[in-house]
Amino acid sequence: MASIEQVKAELAQAAEQSNATTGQIRAAIEGIEQVLVRLRGVAAGTGHPAISAAIGRAEQSKQQLIQAATTLQGSTEAARQYISVLG
């Protein structure tokens, strides 16, 4: 059985990795935003349904990543709360 200190150390490492992963997700969100800027620029010159579909899917991807980042932050907070419960 792991000691309390080992559990706390593992939780802290998980929280740090979660923070790093959240940062990567945020970078991906910024990348999608750049894609959207380009797609919207192209869409200004055309009304083709394929461009509208591309924009819609990129926006959906961005929203899903925002949700993933938010959920992952909640996981980090819960791990840190448990660390404090352990003392």
Side-chain angles (χ1 to χ4, degrees):
M1 182 172 196
S3 71
I4 290 176
E5 290 307 315
Q6 289 170 323
V7 171
K8 287 170 58 174
E10 287 296 321
L11 287 169
Q13 288 177 356
E16 287 305 312
Q17 177 138 21
S18 180
N19 283 338
T21 302
T22 299
Q24 292 169 339
I25 293 170
R26 293 201 185 287
I29 292 167
E30 290 175 20
I32 291 173
E33 190 57 44
Q34 292 173 2
V35 168
L36 283 166
V37 167
R38 289 174 190 254
L39 289 173
R40 288 181 181 126
V42 170
T46 182
H48 198 279
I51 297 296
S52 296
I55 291 170
R57 289 178 179 150
E59 287 175 343
Q60 183 180 19
S61 295
K62 179 181 167 185
Q63 290 306 312
Q64 289 173 342
L65 285 174
I66 290 169
Q67 181 180 6
T70 301
T71 303
L72 194 52
Q73 283 178 318
S75 172
T76 302
E77 290 171 18
R80 292 194 190 281
Q81 286 175 354
Y82 189 53
I83 289 170
S84 68
V85 167
L86 293 174

